[in-house]
Amino acid sequence: MKRRIRRSEQEYSIDCCALCKLNENCPDKYGEKITLKSHELTVHYFCLLMSSGVYQRGEENEGISGFLVDDIKQEVSRSYRLCAVCKKNGASVGCYIKSCRKMVHFPCGKQHQFIFQFTDPFPSYCKDHSPTQSLPVSSCVSEPLSCSVCLDPIEAVLSYSVLKCPACHCSWFHRDCVQNQAHSAAMFFFRCTLCNNKDMFQQEMLRMGIHIPERDAAWELEENAYGELLQVYQHCDANKCLSHSGRTNSSRTGWFQILRCMLCGSRGTHRKCASLNTSETDWACEDCAAAVDATGALFFFITCCAKNTSAILEINRLFLMMGRPSLSGSSAKEILQELASQISQHHPSMPVVVSGNKVLEAAMELVKRSDFKPSHALAVRFTSSKHIPSSGNTRHFLSLLVQQLQNTIFEGPDGAKNLTLDAQALREDVYFDVGCLLSLSLIHGGPPLGFFSRALYQQLGNTEKALTHLPTLFLQIQESRSLEELREAMQSASEYLEVAGCMRPVDSLSDKDTLVEDIVSFHLITRLQLPFQRFCEGLKTLGVFDQVQMFPGAFVSLFCSSPDKLTAETMSALFTVKFSEQEETTGKESAVVTFWRHYLVECEVGRCATSLEDVLIYATSADVVPAIGFSPNPTLSFLNPLDPAGAFPKSQPSSNHLVLPVVPSYQVFKKNMEYAVCQLTVMQAI
């Protein structure tokens, strides 16, 4: 009988963890249960990690994850002390504080609020010496109502069982809940459920004894976890399906090919059932179309979720198809090109008549007309000049308009202007009109603006305010180098500071930064709140302001930097060369291309009677590249005259096309080019 009892005890001990003496197989709590039958040894991985007297002296493939079998057995023999919780011997985990004598089994430690840190050197802390959390003294965080993981009510007191996020201080959770989340999400996806912080959150959770597995998330380890993504929806959901082969039948092309909803992908229709042409490939189901047409909620949601540029561009295309404003392109030029798709060529153009140099007056009259439509093309006519080609009137008009708008409601040095407060302009709503005209210029092919200060532009983009151009009165405050200088400067500006509500005692020079920020805030924002609001309303014309707010980085150079100076290299790259189809003329035309590039270089360095800007005006009627780019793109073609010596270049500004004659030498090419370009310049000056 005794022999039989010993045998059962021996069998029981082999199946149990040699360190904690438990038979449970619970990887979430105790780690993987590992058995080495050849050595008659079983341990829980966490029990082994947290044992105080065993170290990883082998390679990963030796023993149990680098813990040698002999070392493990020695640790089992060493663990003779009584457990402080269950009072049984074999306790192998001790408090990391050397003066503390508490020893526990790993499972007993979890029950007795031990904290085990799963970072090298894997320390353990008893309840008396365990790390704790606290809220910042200056925190204004409201008490939590529920656990941010399980959403059950939670006690708003930090303790062993209640933890919080160190980044936002707003996400509180039960220890068991966040441990389950960590076990499921693992290292690559474990983060705060509210603020989405990962680095600080994981470091804090490790400090507080949360185990974060170093593997893929649990949902990625499931077999065929993403199998449903490989299944394509093939079903016609039309109210009346016209396919004789049934709703699931789909041909590769033609009337009975099934198209899926371009937004949700979970509805489908045959082309014929939805009355679509055989060339159409995009279709939206009734639910998605209704949601998009009814509110902008879907538009806003997709804008916030789309992080990838290619994804945003695809969403742009879909929303433009459905009549919504575009989201963005990868650059300001592409964004403006997408917005320009709103300009209709099928409606009558808006006539603009300019008398003399009164460009601004004509533009203001245009936007105040009752029939003004910003999406209609412009038909500009100058009454005082007969020499500007009609195709170049619009570009010339917009170029002059941008120059004159800088001196309306703006103040400051060139290239760094801010809004100014003008009571008369506010009464006449000029701020709105100017914003509208700037948007109109950008979309209809006007030049880059380039005169906004960084502070004014950053207000548009809703980014942090910058300390930039200030009135002379405040420069002394900003440039003060001592407390005495600061106080003297404040005394000189005391009247304005009192009106602005910025007058305050200063005790050190460090108070200067806060003071200057408050002055800038008042000068550029508070006193200009209504004018700035109306200016932004005008800038919303054709969707420009919305795009600036969503993607401020793409537009900053367009608003705040002068256009890049033309160079021979950029001019050469601007024009696409179209050679003739006859092989016998291609060689001669290639030589003319060489003449053209050499001529551009000489224009750049000042060896010609013309400048690069003159050449660009001759070819396109624009002296700078428009903010939206040229449409169509500038091109070069060739003319093979009978008399090369008397052949001159020809320009077609309406199509941005330049025709170069095939001549035998560079001297003839340069002479004829200079004559043609200079002749246009002289005629425009008359």
Side-chain angles (χ1 to χ4, degrees), residues 357 359-360 395-410 414 417 437-438 441 446-451 563 617 623-624:
N357 195 34
V359 172
L360 182 59
R395 286 175 183 164
H396 185 60
F397 167 76
L398 295 176
S399 179
L400 294 176
L401 176 62
V402 170
Q403 294 177 19
Q404 296 184 16
L405 284 174
Q406 298 184 41
N407 301 316
T408 54
I409 59 172
F410 301 97
D414 292 340
K417 292 183 179 294
L437 288 173
L438 290 178
S441 174
L449 305 183
F451 62 85
I617 293 173
D623 58 347
V624 296

Side-chain angles (χ1 to χ4, degrees), residues 335-353:
I335 297 173
L336 294 177
Q337 288 175 349
E338 290 170 1
L339 294 177
S341 62
Q342 304 170 75
I343 299 177
S344 174
Q345 303 297 333
H346 304 293
H347 293 87
S349 299
M350 299 292 297
V352 182
V353 180

Side-chain angles (χ1 to χ4, degrees), residues 352-391:
V352 182
V353 180
V354 182
S355 300
N357 195 34
K358 298 181 179 180
V359 172
L360 182 59
E361 289 80 353
M364 288 294 186
E365 183 181 348
L366 170 68
V367 297
K368 291 182 181 300
R369 286 169 48 178
S370 59
D371 61 342
F372 170 62
K373 300 291 183 182
S375 59
H376 289 195
L378 301 179
V380 181
R381 180 170 64 89
F382 288 85
T383 60
S384 60
S385 177
K386 302 179 181 179
H387 302 293
I388 300 177
S390 58
S391 57

Side-chain angles (χ1 to χ4, degrees), residues 263 287-289 291-292 295-304 319 322:
L263 294 177
D287 292 340
C288 293
V292 173
T295 67
L298 183 60
F299 176 79
F300 175 77
F301 173 76
I302 295 180
T303 304
C304 295
F319 273 94
M322 302 179 68

Side-chain angles (χ1 to χ4, degrees), residues 244 494 588:
H244 298 294
S494 59
K588 297 179 180 179

